[in-house]
Amino acid sequence: MTERYVLDLQEVDKKQVAVVGGKGAHLGGLSRIEGIRVPAGFCVTTDAFRRIMAKAPSLDDRLDQLSRLNPDDREAIRTLSAQIRRTIEGIAIPDDLTAAITRALTRLGEQAAYAVRSSATAEDLPTASFAGQQDTYLNVVGPTAILQHVNRCWASLFTERAVTYRQRNGIDHRTVHMAVVVQRMVFPHASGILFTADPVTGNRKVATVDAGFGLGEALVSGLVNPDVFKVRHGEVVAKAIAAKQRAVHALPTGDTQEVAIDSRRQEQPALTDAQVVRLVQLGRRIEAHFGRPQDIEWCLVDDGFQIVQSRPITTLFPIPETGDQENHVYVSVGHQQMMTDPMKPLGLSMWQLTAMVPMHAAGGRLFVDVTRRLASPASRAGLLDVMGRGDPLVRDALETVLDRDDFVPSLPDAGPGGPPTGGASATIETDPAIVTELIERSQVSIAALERDIRTKTGPALFEFLLEAFAEHKRVLSDPLSMQAIMAGMEATWWLNDTLQEWLGEKNAADTLTLSAPDNVTSEMGLALLDVADVIRPQSEVVAFLQGVEDEGFLDELAKLAGGTEARDAIEAYLDRYGMRCVGEIDITRPRWRERPTTLVPVLLDNVRNFEPGAAERRFEQGRQKARQKEQDVLSRLRALPDGDRKAGEAKRMIDRVRTFIGYREYPKYGIVSRYFVYKQALLEEAERLVQAGVLPEKEDIFYLTFQELHDVVRSNQADDRLIQQRKDAFRSYHALTPPRVLTSDGEAVTGAYRRDDVPVGALIGLPVSAGTIEGRARVILDIAEADLEAGDILVTTFTDPSWSPLFVAVAGLVTEVGGLMTHGAVIAREYGLPAVVGVERATRLIRDGQRIRVHGTDGYVEILP
């Protein structure tokens, strides 16, 4: 029975992660690749670990205690994990296990030096690297020392860092087991790390080599700065040689030692260019074997490379699949839709099926391929103009790609690139009846959808939905609707550009659009103030809402004094806006109607911070300010040369912007209203699948695409393994930061503002709503955790329409994502909030509670002392 405790590396492959852990499985796979040298060794399997754990029954209780701890309770985790480690290290290794390890050592050389390395079953996986969480011991000599270090590796499954990581990621401690890799030590001239894709930019065509003298521990521990080489297409394209003052060497008696490097050698490169290129060729072979970019630890011994580790690089953003070898440039949909979180597969596929242009999924996000439009000079200028007005960072990123002459081919004409990004030309009259008609058309279409879907179930529902998607797209692409949207946007641009030229005034349209009519999103924020007015006088209701946790709280309200009126007011609000939620472009996100507790903190803030009648007063104040601004602008224009003509043109544009800018928000409201109807029908179908035993729970349908769900409904069979894989992948996507622009080489191109007109240390962004405001920053990542006071400035990653109820309570806005015409910007202008969007890493650079000054006219934020 001893064979199952020890396996030679040559016997191991990637299918045996459960037996030899992630590191062991990778090393076994590496040792099978032709031309790749891996130091000889063996794995002590997870069977040995389980046997050791079984010898200490007290561990069971401690693991139970551990799983109940909060991941933030560092002291308790430190104490308990240390007890578990001591217990494991104190367990005597059984004789037959000792004999099996000793026999393996005899085959390889009993008195040789070895590296003894932990290899956990949840380590070096495609979605979680766990790198550095368990222990590695170098230059261990003699069977007694090796057995002792094997024991230490088992115990290192319970280091404080490893335990905390598992707690935070919802991984059960009992499901992770520890194998140990024992390998012959190599004594290298140089060593380091090879990334087969650039770990900073993500470019899959650029490999990065970090190199230093001696053992790699000097680099990993940060003892020295490495030499850094970048290789593209088989040649070194950049290098930086560091002064390497120290190295780590192995001692003959075992263990390692830091040594000083001779001053004449310190600035010599650890590798020649030819060696670097040869190493990268080996790396490409390893990458091809594992099917994804790798982070590889290597050693140079006698001019030959030995590979001591390879793991997937888990931080790279995936590339959309195209099936061709052409160059592609992708623009993020999430940055335009104000939702950069990952979407579940059903959400991705539903948005793709109802979108007006083809979209590609990667990393749980959607991207539009703009290569064709960039390639044609005719469409390129229009695309860059629209992108630049919306988000200068996207424009700069696209221009960065275009500057590389060889990446985007230049086409003689537009080719089959589709219509220009700007959409339909705005040639309609300035007539409020157009907006009224468009809203009525949308409401009639949604009412028909609600009526007709009621009788559809099973495969017939899916056939019906495909027809509904066609109607969905027809409504969205209505030429009149497109013209109304463009009319409002173009009037805004005209006013800002022209009034700056004529009057020297920046962003004049921001005040002229205050309290514009027919804006369903700003109305939504004001309507919640009206709900607060109903609740405020009812002290019993207010007290009850402060303790609400259950989603069924609306039924409980009727039992309280004044509760019926409060419930009716909230219900009426949900009837109109209950289809909305944070991240609403993902149909799988819980809507306010499904989770009304989300609104309670905002509602209570409104009760506390406002006086009765605030909504009407707020709207009227905005209207008056806009009217005064109009009179001021027109009188100043009339005083200019040719003033009557200029004032006449400005008046026409002001009327136009006030007529159409509010409608800008309506199509999204229509989309989300339809989505809620689709979702309710699909969840009823999911309930039938659960009743029939096809799925364990309704929400499992969220991890299938629309087509896959259709197939499940037809066949009454679901692939449980596929659903689990999708859940794991979705969890891993949260750790990825989606780029604004992504190339088919995998390069994430971030873009820059290229401005020198801001104070030193200020955070640069895009000015979207004029004014300057100083106040307390409230860094809020979840609307349900809002706790705002009058005068606070909201700082968050992105705001879609569902954040609008918070806007009435704050004095200013800062977001990491956004553009001039995205929802947060439009609503900030309507409410008169100074706002700066597109501030990179704002939620990390600004601390909650700090005082900040938001320069909404000039587009920057100052952190105040």
Side-chain angles (χ1 to χ4, degrees):
M1 291 293 289
T2 54
E3 291 78 20
R4 65 184 209 167
Y5 294 134
V6 173
L7 290 173
D8 192 272
L9 273 182
Q10 298 283 341
E11 301 174 67
V12 172
D13 65 19
K14 64 183 179 186
K15 297 191 196 81
Q16 289 164 286
V17 170
V19 181
V20 295
K23 190 175 291 170
H26 261 73
L27 284 167
L30 280 168
S31 63
R32 292 158 174 248
I33 305 172
E34 192 178 338
I36 302 298
R37 291 167 59 200
V38 175
F42 60 89
C43 296
V44 181
T45 67
T46 53
D47 285 340
F49 172 77
R50 273 190 286 267
R51 185 158 166 207
I52 291 295
M53 292 291 280
K55 287 175 72 70
S58 66
L59 285 172
D60 258 356
D61 289 342
R62 286 189 176 145
L63 287 178
D64 284 341
Q65 283 176 261
L66 200 57
S67 63
R68 288 195 292 269
L69 291 178
N70 185 313
D72 296 323
D73 191 348
R74 295 186 60 179
E75 192 53 49
I77 288 175
R78 185 180 298 126
T79 305
L80 197 50
S81 56
Q83 288 173 8
I84 293 170
R85 288 198 305 279
R86 277 198 301 276
T87 303
I88 293 171
E89 286 178 18
I91 297 169
I93 300 177
D95 291 347
D96 57 338
L97 182 47
T98 300
I101 295 170
T102 307
R103 270 198 300 278
L105 287 170
T106 304
R107 282 199 306 275
L108 292 174
E110 206 170 279
Q111 289 309 311
Y114 290 86
V116 182
R117 315 170 74 191
S118 307
S119 178
T121 54
E123 190 175 6
D124 296 345
L125 305 181
T127 56
S129 86
F130 288 68
Q133 287 186 12
Q134 284 91 33
D135 291 348
T136 287
Y137 301 97
L138 299 178
N139 203 31
V140 183
V141 179
T144 305
I146 286 165
L147 286 165
Q148 183 186 15
H149 285 85
V150 166
N151 207 320
R152 284 186 187 166
C153 284
W154 287 330
S156 76
L157 189 64
F158 297 97
T159 62
E160 182 189 343
R161 187 166 38 162
V163 165
T164 304
Y165 185 93
R166 290 196 293 271
Q167 302 268 90
R168 286 196 195 286
N169 287 276
I171 298 166
D172 183 348
H173 301 297
R174 283 190 170 80
T175 62
V176 184
H177 300 114
M178 181 67 84
V180 182
V181 176
V182 181
Q183 274 180 292
R184 283 288 294 257
M185 268 295 287
V186 290
F187 301 99
H189 161 74
S191 58
I193 299 163
L194 157 63
F195 297 97
T196 64
D198 188 317
V200 177
T201 68
N203 195 323
R204 311 306 201 262
K205 300 257 176 88
V206 175
T208 301
V209 175
D210 289 2
F213 294 123
L215 291 167
E217 297 309 290
L219 302 189
V220 173
S221 64
L223 183 65
V224 296
N225 290 326
D227 296 340
V228 180
F229 303 84
K230 291 194 183 296
V231 176
R232 185 183 174 95
H233 299 319
E235 62 175 299
V236 175
V237 292
K239 60 181 167 183
I241 307 305
K244 300 167 287 295
Q245 296 173 336
R246 321 277 302 161
V248 174
H249 286 296
L251 297 169
T253 53
D255 214 347
T256 59
Q257 179 184 32
E258 271 183 42
V259 295
I261 295 173
D262 184 298
S263 59
R264 288 165 300 183
R265 285 184 65 220
Q266 285 179 8
E267 298 198 23
Q268 281 180 7
L271 295 177
T272 66
D273 283 10
Q275 286 171 328
V276 170
V277 169
R278 184 150 47 93
L279 174 61
V280 170
Q281 286 169 346
L282 295 175
R284 293 284 177 226
R285 200 176 295 176
I286 294 167
E287 179 182 67
H289 175 84
F290 288 117
R292 56 188 300 148
Q294 297 287 301
D295 160 358
I296 297 164
E297 293 175 28
W298 55 269
C299 294
L300 178 66
V301 186
D302 303 327
D303 201 39
F305 287 102
Q306 297 213 28
I307 305 301
V308 295
Q309 176 66 300
S310 182
R311 61 172 73 90
I313 307 175
T314 57
T315 54
L316 298 176
F317 200 87
I319 306 170
E321 290 177 19
T322 56
D324 63 36
Q325 296 302 306
E326 303 293 314
N327 288 348
H328 293 270
V329 182
Y330 303 98
V331 172
S332 162
V333 173
H335 285 80
Q336 293 165 350
Q337 289 295 336
M338 305 304 289
M339 212 294 270
T340 53
D341 289 347
M343 295 166 71
K344 296 189 177 110
L346 186 63
L348 288 167
S349 67
M350 294 284 277
W351 194 261
Q352 286 171 309
L353 286 164
T354 51
M356 302 309 298
V357 294
M359 292 183 179
H360 306 266
R365 279 80 168 188
L366 290 168
F367 295 86
V368 173
D369 187 340
V370 295
T371 320
R372 280 285 188 164
R373 277 177 276 171
L374 281 179
S376 159
S379 56
R380 181 188 307 148
L383 176 74
L384 290 174
D385 184 50
V386 170
M387 290 290 177
R389 284 186 181 278
D391 184 343
L393 293 178
V394 173
R395 177 177 183 140
D396 188 74
L398 291 174
E399 287 177 333
T400 301
V401 175
L402 284 168
D403 286 344
R404 298 168 191 160
D405 297 335
D406 57 340
F407 195 82
V408 178
S410 198
L411 297 176
D413 54 43
T421 307
S425 169
T427 55
I428 53 174
E429 292 300 310
T430 302
D431 181 359
I434 292 172
V435 173
T436 307
E437 182 192 338
L438 285 168
I439 290 172
E440 281 174 7
R441 280 189 204 176
S442 176
Q443 288 171 339
V444 167
S445 177
I446 291 166
L449 170 67
E450 289 174 326
R451 182 188 66 236
D452 297 343
I453 204 169
R454 284 185 195 131
T455 56
K456 307 293 188 289
T457 60
L461 169 65
F462 288 81
E463 300 303 329
F464 172 81
L465 281 171
L466 289 171
E467 292 171 19
F469 298 163
E471 165 68 2
H472 180 127
K473 289 163 90 162
R474 188 195 66 72
V475 171
L476 271 186
S477 60
D478 180 339
L480 189 63
S481 178
M482 302 288 277
Q483 287 172 328
I485 291 168
M486 288 310 296
M489 288 167 63
E490 286 173 357
T492 304
W493 297 337
W494 187 94
L495 285 165
N496 280 338
D497 293 347
T498 310
L499 294 181
Q500 179 153 12
E501 183 190 332
W502 289 347
L503 297 175
E505 185 167 341
K506 287 183 182 176
N507 303 339
D510 293 0
T511 309
L512 293 166
T513 53
L514 285 171
S515 298
D518 299 312
N519 188 318
V520 70
T521 307
S522 60
E523 286 166 6
M524 178 171 74
L526 296 173
L528 203 62
L529 287 176
D530 289 336
V531 177
D533 285 355
V534 176
I535 289 167
R536 193 178 291 105
Q538 312 299 339
S539 56
E540 216 176 307
V541 171
V542 173
F544 170 76
L545 288 175
Q546 283 165 344
V548 156
E549 288 180 7
D550 190 293
E551 296 300 342
F553 74 93
L554 288 170
D555 295 333
E556 298 296 310
L557 276 175
K559 301 171 188 172
L560 307 172
T564 305
E565 294 87 340
R567 185 194 61 193
D568 291 349
I570 296 171
E571 284 284 2
Y573 185 86
L574 290 173
D575 286 344
R576 182 145 167 75
Y577 304 111
M579 76 295 286
R580 309 219 83 151
C581 67
V582 172
E584 60 193 11
I585 69 169
D586 182 353
I587 198 171
T588 71
R589 289 286 192 105
R591 311 282 135 178
W592 289 345
R593 170 55 81 185
E594 297 170 301
R595 199 176 286 174
T597 52
T598 309
L599 289 172
V600 171
V602 191
L603 200 45
L604 288 170
D605 280 349
N606 287 352
V607 167
R608 189 175 70 246
N609 293 331
F610 292 93
E611 297 293 320
E616 193 178 339
R617 274 198 308 280
R618 183 101 182 224
F619 189 78
E620 188 51 35
Q621 283 165 1
R623 224 159 55 85
Q624 294 295 346
K625 273 190 193 169
R627 188 177 293 154
Q628 286 161 9
K629 183 70 175 176
E630 177 182 332
Q631 290 167 353
D632 171 57
V633 163
L634 296 179
S635 66
R636 285 161 63 199
L637 286 173
R638 287 190 193 103
L640 297 175
D642 198 17
D644 285 347
R645 178 188 64 80
K646 287 175 178 172
E649 281 185 46
K651 171 64 175 159
R652 280 194 297 278
M653 284 300 177
I654 291 168
D655 290 348
R656 198 164 177 77
V657 82
R658 288 198 68 79
T659 298
F660 292 116
I661 201 66
Y663 178 71
R664 166 81 177 76
E665 291 292 297
Y666 201 86
K668 181 83 171 275
Y669 176 76
I671 290 170
V672 177
S673 298
R674 287 174 184 280
Y675 262 33
F676 194 39
V677 180
Y678 304 154
K679 182 180 188 179
Q680 287 170 305
L682 290 172
L683 282 174
E684 283 176 25
E685 208 54 48
E687 185 58 48
R688 281 189 277 277
L689 292 170
V690 171
Q691 297 300 327
V694 178
L695 292 174
E697 49 191 45
K698 283 197 302 186
E699 283 75 18
D700 284 350
I701 67 166
F702 297 162
Y703 297 93
L704 299 170
T705 65
F706 181 80
Q707 187 56 54
E708 288 166 348
L709 179 53
H710 190 177
D711 293 341
V712 169
V713 168
R714 265 198 300 247
S715 65
N716 260 351
Q717 287 182 312
D719 184 342
D720 295 340
R721 252 202 4 234
L722 173 70
I723 290 170
Q724 190 53 52
Q725 283 168 0
R726 295 271 177 80
K727 287 179 179 178
D728 293 341
F730 176 71
R731 207 166 28 241
S732 74
Y733 293 152
H734 280 279
L736 300 174
T737 302
R740 281 176 165 81
V741 172
L742 179 68
T743 73
S744 47
D745 285 353
E747 184 178 2
V749 191
T750 51
Y753 283 107
R754 321 256 176 224
R755 288 173 55 190
D756 54 12
D757 59 342
V758 298
V760 176
L763 308 180
I764 302 175
L766 179 65
V768 295
S769 185
T772 301
I773 193 74
E774 220 176 90
R776 178 179 69 153
R778 292 310 320 269
V779 180
I780 297 173
L781 302 180
D782 181 348
I783 192 171
E785 290 169 9
D787 180 14
L788 297 164
E789 300 287 346
D792 283 349
I793 296 168
L794 174 62
V795 180
T796 189
T797 43
F798 58 79
T799 61
D800 59 12
S802 70
W803 287 74
S804 301
L806 257 63
F807 283 25
V808 297
V810 297
L813 174 70
V814 179
T815 68
E816 294 181 349
V817 175
L820 198 61
M821 283 297 167
T822 47
H823 305 278
V826 172
I827 306 307
R829 288 194 290 273
E830 292 240 343
Y831 285 171
L833 303 178
V836 180
V837 302
V839 180
E840 294 278 81
R841 298 172 56 236
T843 59
R844 281 167 280 183
L845 296 172
I846 299 170
R847 288 197 315 275
D848 187 51
Q850 274 185 319
R851 286 195 69 74
I852 61 173
R853 187 182 296 129
V854 177
H855 295 263
T857 308
D858 294 311
Y860 64 91
V861 179
E862 290 179 284
I863 299 174
L864 302 175

